[in-house]
Amino acid sequence: MKKLNPVQLEEIRSILGHKGIIFFDIQEELLDHIASEIEEKMAMESLSFEASSKAVLGLWENSFRLKQNRLLLGKDLYPKIIYEELKRNSVKMLWPLILLSLVLTSLLVILNYETNELFKDFAYLIGFFSLTAGIISLFLYPQLKNGKQTIYSHLLLKDFKIFILMATTLILQVYEQKVENASMYQSILFSFFMAMMLCFLIYLVMLYLKHLDLHRKYALS
């Protein structure tokens, strides 16, 4: 079976880019599938590359239809194939962290009423980690923004703004001494916020590590 040449592959890649398939990892996987289908069609039906690619890409048209989920992914529109992948990864990674944050909240509330000093030390520690992560992220942000993006770097860039807002609020709360002399209701809310902050930080690290894995897999520059 005749293989597509680099020029033909680049033509398909360009079409995928125009269809909104801009994340390198999904683009590479989709390019491989579509190229194989075109090669098979050319061999079985003795069609030209142009005719085969038009027919095959037509079958994928539904996957390029734009979709939106304001609650989970914000106001941006995505081709269906990217939308489904972003949605799947968001749900897959976020739900375990939400459950973990609820467990951590319970432990922090108990810690607050059993050993208040240790609770305050833990709050300072999370505040320090958040500040450090924020500083490191400021250096990584341009690299992620200007490099070839994957779905993980895209989610990381979108959620980075939320992280900055949460980290700033947490640091202000901790270093303005609002941890001390708080009511039970305030302590529970603050414990929940700290747990969410820690879990959100873990979530961002996971996104970055997955992005690096894809970076190594495809040798992105």
Side-chain angles (χ1 to χ4, degrees):
M1 186 165 60
K2 185 179 179 181
K3 295 288 184 181
L4 300 185
N5 60 50
V7 174
Q8 292 169 331
L9 290 173
E10 196 57 40
E11 184 176 331
I12 299 170
R13 191 193 304 277
S14 178
I15 292 172
L16 292 177
H18 286 302
K19 295 290 187 180
I21 313 299
I22 57 174
F23 303 134
F24 193 83
D25 50 324
I26 295 180
Q27 189 181 93
E28 284 298 303
E29 291 183 14
L30 198 53
L31 177 64
D32 187 54
H33 282 299
I34 290 175
S36 296
E37 290 179 13
I38 291 174
E39 289 166 355
E40 186 177 343
K41 198 168 190 64
M42 289 171 66
M44 294 181 65
E45 301 181 23
S46 300
L47 296 175
S48 66
F49 165 73
E50 289 74 15
S52 297
S53 60
K54 184 176 181 181
V56 169
L57 286 168
L59 297 175
W60 283 86
E61 202 59 44
N62 185 54
S63 297
F64 304 140
R65 183 167 49 87
L66 297 179
K67 294 192 69 175
Q68 182 185 54
N69 187 324
R70 287 182 176 272
L71 180 63
L72 190 62
L73 300 174
K75 64 181 180 179
D76 294 331
L77 291 167
Y78 300 97
K80 182 181 176 182
I81 191 168
I82 289 181
Y83 166 88
E84 296 294 343
E85 193 68 15
L86 287 171
K87 180 181 175 182
R88 184 181 68 82
N89 278 280
S90 296
V91 172
K92 180 182 176 181
M93 297 179 75
L94 281 175
W95 276 115
L97 291 174
I98 290 173
L99 293 175
L100 177 60
S101 70
L102 294 175
V103 174
L104 282 175
T105 299
S106 301
L107 293 175
L108 286 170
V109 170
I110 295 170
L111 187 65
N112 185 26
Y113 286 98
E114 293 293 330
T115 52
N116 188 255
E117 282 299 320
L118 186 57
F119 174 80
K120 286 186 288 185
D121 290 341
F122 194 76
Y124 281 114
L125 187 62
I126 295 179
F128 173 75
F129 280 150
S130 300
L131 181 61
T132 304
I135 293 170
I136 294 173
S137 299
L138 288 174
F139 288 100
L140 292 176
Y141 190 89
Q143 176 187 340
L144 292 172
K145 184 75 173 175
N146 300 323
K148 290 181 178 179
Q149 287 195 32
T150 64
I151 58 167
Y152 299 114
S153 65
H154 178 70
L155 285 171
L156 180 54
L157 290 168
K158 282 177 70 69
D159 295 337
F160 177 72
K161 298 171 186 176
I162 302 173
F163 168 75
I164 290 296
L165 179 61
M166 290 178 67
T168 302
T169 305
L170 176 64
I171 291 166
L172 288 175
Q173 287 285 318
V174 171
Y175 290 96
E176 284 181 4
Q177 303 298 315
K178 291 187 179 179
V179 182
E180 299 179 27
N181 303 318
S183 67
M184 181 182 293
Y185 176 73
Q186 290 172 324
S187 295
I188 292 173
L189 280 180
F190 188 71
S191 296
F192 179 69
F193 186 78
M194 276 205 304
M196 284 291 291
M197 185 69 231
L198 185 58
C199 289
F200 195 68
L201 186 56
I202 294 171
Y203 166 69
L204 293 181
V205 171
M206 288 169 61
L207 287 176
Y208 184 65
L209 292 177
K210 285 180 175 290
H211 169 73
L212 289 182
D213 283 342
L214 288 174
H215 192 283
R216 286 188 289 267
K217 179 180 176 180
Y218 295 110
L220 301 180
S221 57

